Amino acid sequence: MKKSILGASVIMALLSSCAPKQSTEALTLSGLNPANFETMVDGVKPVKLYTLKNAAGMEVCITNFGGRIVSIMVPDKNGNYANVIQGHDSIDNLLNSPEPFLSTLVGRYGNRICKGKFTMNDKEYSLAVNNGPNHLHGGPTGFH
């Protein structure tokens, strides 16, 4: 009987050691898991999370989906790191957010162009109007 219990214990220990474990090594300084951002949007846009770090320890995490910055980790005067922006912790949260343009690039132009028209080198250009009579932040199709 003791051999059976010992044998079962050994088998359980071996099986539990083979189970996949959550790796904290892959997490960013802000605690983001890059795997939570890997997906295909609209079936054609592969999305990933990119992490940029400098020698001083600052870390910025940005997705290639609209250039969304999801965290900026900076040290305070005591060396304690904090995220100084409001971002999303997964692509699902980002896609379903009531604030879909939180921390995003605004587009090719950041502001309104009156009546959606401008003149450059004596040529008038007409743009899509998407804010009443005005062109806002690069038009109805942004970088998202």
Side-chain angles (χ1 to χ4, degrees), residues 68-123:
R68 286 168 167 86
I69 299 171
V70 294
S71 73
I72 300 176
M73 297 293 289
V74 294
D76 64 14
K77 66 181 182 179
N78 298 319
N80 300 313
Y81 284 84
N83 189 358
V84 295
I85 68 159
Q86 185 179 19
H88 299 283
D89 61 1
S90 72
I91 191 68
D92 290 332
N93 288 349
L94 190 151
L95 293 171
N96 298 310
S97 173
E99 297 290 336
F101 298 109
L102 179 70
S103 303
T104 63
L105 298 172
V106 295
R108 296 162 289 281
Y109 179 80
N111 207 338
R112 288 164 183 81
I113 297 176
C114 184
K115 298 181 184 172
K117 296 181 182 185
F118 69 95
T119 303
M120 184 168 59
N121 296 330
D122 297 323
K123 182 177 179 186

